[in-house]
Amino acid sequence: MERRTTEPRPDWQRTVEDQGLIYPLTRYPDDTLRPYWDESAYYVFSLPEVEALEEVVEELHAMCLAAAAHIVEHDRLADLGITDPRVAAAVTEAWHRRAELPSLYGRFDLRYDGTGPAKMLEYNADTPTSLVEAASPQWFWMEERFPGADQWNSLHERLVDAWRKQAPLLPPGGPLYFAHSAGDELGEDLMTVAYLRETAEQAGLAAESISMEDIGWDRLSRRFVDKKLRFMRSCFKLYPWEWLTTDRFAPHVLETLDNGGGTGSTLWIEPAWKMLLSNKALLAVLWELYPGHPNLLPAYLDGPRELAVSGGYVAKPLLGREGAGVTVHEPAPAPVPPAPREEACCYQQLSPLPDFDGNRVVLGAWVVADEAAGLGIRESSGLITDEYARFVPHVIL
């Protein structure tokens, strides 16, 4: 793994916008606009390196599924903050019926510097983003700048294939809806959903787009409907389950949930069991089940334990995205009780992101239908990968 600098292509901004990345710039607190898509640098990997990372990702995914099974079988959903009996029942049923429920994709965030084993930082398997840039503009960048080279990127074909194979699990009667929140001002959620709809249509599925705010509730039929009052039998939502099960319409979601077997009115993708994988408590369960595993970092739910004095730790809210609420704690000479926090946290060993020329790097390794499918790289200025991170392409040479 090596970082190299290069001259961006002329008119790069219009190029990536035409390829679906309509958010190539990020507005900073000082009101300046700086590149989010940053092709002034790129990362180089060897093929054996990528093949080894693929094996790690698929092993981690299998371990996460085993951890999810452990959580359900040992009635530990409360450790994840899932205390509402209706939500717990929905998650449990979805897990037991997972073979009947479509499930598409997820993204591991990994610490890796090319010299030691990759370390799992977290897994977002419910609403992962940065998909468009990883699947499309990155590939076209490589074809233009490094014709004949390769990239860890089979995202598009794997997504189309996954929809095609899982089409029989979709309920009949109506299109598959693709929903995002209209509150997304940047356009990332909109384009992620639009791209996923495109892959579904290429797989032969009938699809419609809708915003979450435009989904209606028909009091007479007690079903969710679109703006034309058509029943919504299935919906892919880029909208976290923790919101879906706590917002205004949560009782209706749970009342009409099609959790496999066709007993409900609306089947949601990703399925409810993905709440087990997108919760930071998973990190602690994994360490409990696989202590000392080379691709895991020590993690606990009851406090930082020995991490407070041996290497430091990161406190992560159980739910949250783009580094929100994450705090970094350097090792102290003597144990220091963690500062009181309103929300439950997972305490994970501090493993600073590798520094390449002043850039802190995290690998986003994609999983589609249980298989490793591609890589997206984000850089940040600090130890926390936040909303000001930059996406940098990669190539295999």
Side-chain angles (χ1 to χ4, degrees):
M1 179 179 177
E2 179 185 347
R3 186 182 195 271
R4 298 179 184 175
T5 57
T6 186
E7 191 70 24
R9 295 168 294 176
D11 208 14
W12 64 268
Q13 181 176 338
R14 184 181 60 82
T15 298
V16 298
E17 286 177 344
D18 289 345
Q19 294 163 354
L21 191 67
I22 65 171
Y23 42 95
L25 303 174
T26 298
R27 186 172 297 279
Y28 279 67
D30 62 3
D31 212 36
T32 60
L33 289 171
R34 307 178 200 175
Y36 164 66
W37 168 270
D38 186 357
E39 60 177 70
S40 66
Y42 62 96
Y43 283 84
V44 177
F45 295 83
S46 68
L47 181 58
E49 197 172 21
V50 168
E51 290 174 339
L53 285 169
E54 286 182 320
E55 292 182 5
V56 167
V57 168
E58 294 194 356
E59 181 180 4
L60 285 172
H61 178 68
M63 290 161 56
C64 288
L65 293 179
H70 172 86
I71 292 167
V72 171
E73 292 165 6
H74 292 81
D75 194 22
R76 296 185 59 182
L77 274 76
D79 288 346
L80 281 63
I82 302 175
T83 56
D84 185 325
R86 299 169 303 167
V87 178
V91 173
T92 299
E93 182 186 22
W95 173 256
H96 289 311
R97 289 182 173 271
R98 64 191 179 279
E100 305 168 43
L101 297 169
S103 174
L104 190 64
Y105 74 144
R107 190 196 73 230
F108 281 100
D109 284 349
L110 304 175
R111 185 212 180 278
Y112 180 71
D113 62 5
T115 62
K119 299 289 187 179
M120 175 181 171
L121 300 175
E122 57 187 70
Y123 193 13
N124 185 344
D126 182 19
T127 58
T129 53
S130 76
L131 176 68
V132 174
E133 47 268 48
S136 182
Q138 178 177 225
W139 180 262
F140 292 123
W141 167 88
M142 178 203 68
E143 288 190 323
E144 184 174 340
R145 298 303 298 265
F146 297 94
D150 202 359
Q151 191 175 83
W152 183 8
N153 189 358
S154 58
L155 278 163
H156 189 84
E157 52 265 46
R158 287 185 184 274
L159 287 166
V160 173
D161 189 55
W163 285 123
R164 186 178 293 117
K165 289 179 178 178
Q166 297 189 73
L169 300 178
L170 295 172
L176 170 60
Y177 290 85
F178 284 80
H180 75 288
S181 173
D184 165 40
E185 298 179 355
L186 184 63
E188 183 176 20
D189 290 0
L190 169 67
M191 293 311 297
T192 301
V193 166
Y195 173 66
L196 288 170
R197 174 183 172 177
E198 178 185 340
T199 62
E201 289 175 332
Q202 289 184 20
L205 300 178
E208 296 273 359
S209 295
I210 193 170
S211 72
M212 293 297 296
E213 291 80 2
D214 282 338
I215 296 176
W217 175 252
D218 186 322
R219 293 189 181 93
L220 294 179
S221 65
R222 303 199 66 76
R223 289 186 175 188
F224 288 109
V225 294
D226 66 11
K227 291 198 293 183
K228 297 180 181 179
L229 302 182
R230 295 176 296 183
F231 295 148
M232 296 179 61
R233 287 293 289 114
S234 57
C235 182
F236 176 93
K237 86 287 179 298
L238 200 67
Y239 193 78
W241 269 102
E242 63 264 25
W243 296 357
L244 200 64
T245 54
T246 55
D247 67 15
R248 176 183 170 193
F249 288 96
H252 302 322
V253 170
L254 297 171
E255 171 191 342
T256 62
L257 180 60
D258 184 341
N259 234 349
T263 57
S265 299
T266 303
L267 181 147
W268 299 92
I269 308 169
E270 298 288 337
W273 67 263
K274 285 295 191 80
M275 293 180 76
L276 301 169
L277 302 188
S278 289
N279 188 300
K280 307 301 189 299
L282 175 72
L283 302 169
V285 176
L286 282 167
W287 186 250
E288 179 184 323
L289 297 178
Y290 304 97
H293 192 283
N295 301 119
L296 296 178
L297 294 168
Y300 309 104
L301 294 177
D302 58 355
R305 301 189 190 179
E306 79 281 356
L307 306 179
V309 293
S310 61
Y313 65 94
V314 178
K316 300 181 175 182
L318 299 188
L319 301 170
R321 288 156 184 83
E322 293 189 326
V326 174
T327 56
V328 176
H329 303 263
E330 300 287 348
V336 176
R341 299 182 60 134
E342 292 183 6
E343 74 273 67
C345 287
C346 176
Y347 302 89
Q348 186 183 50
Q349 183 183 67
L350 174 61
S351 183
L353 295 177
D355 186 329
F356 286 80
D357 303 324
N359 302 282
R360 298 288 185 168
V361 182
V362 65
L363 303 192
W366 291 92
V367 173
V368 175
D370 298 323
E371 295 183 344
L375 175 67
I377 300 175
R378 288 170 294 159
E379 292 182 338
S380 56
S381 300
L383 295 179
I384 299 174
T385 307
D386 57 18
E387 68 267 32
Y388 302 111
R390 304 169 299 279
F391 188 95
V392 182
H394 78 275
V395 66
I396 299 173
L397 294 177

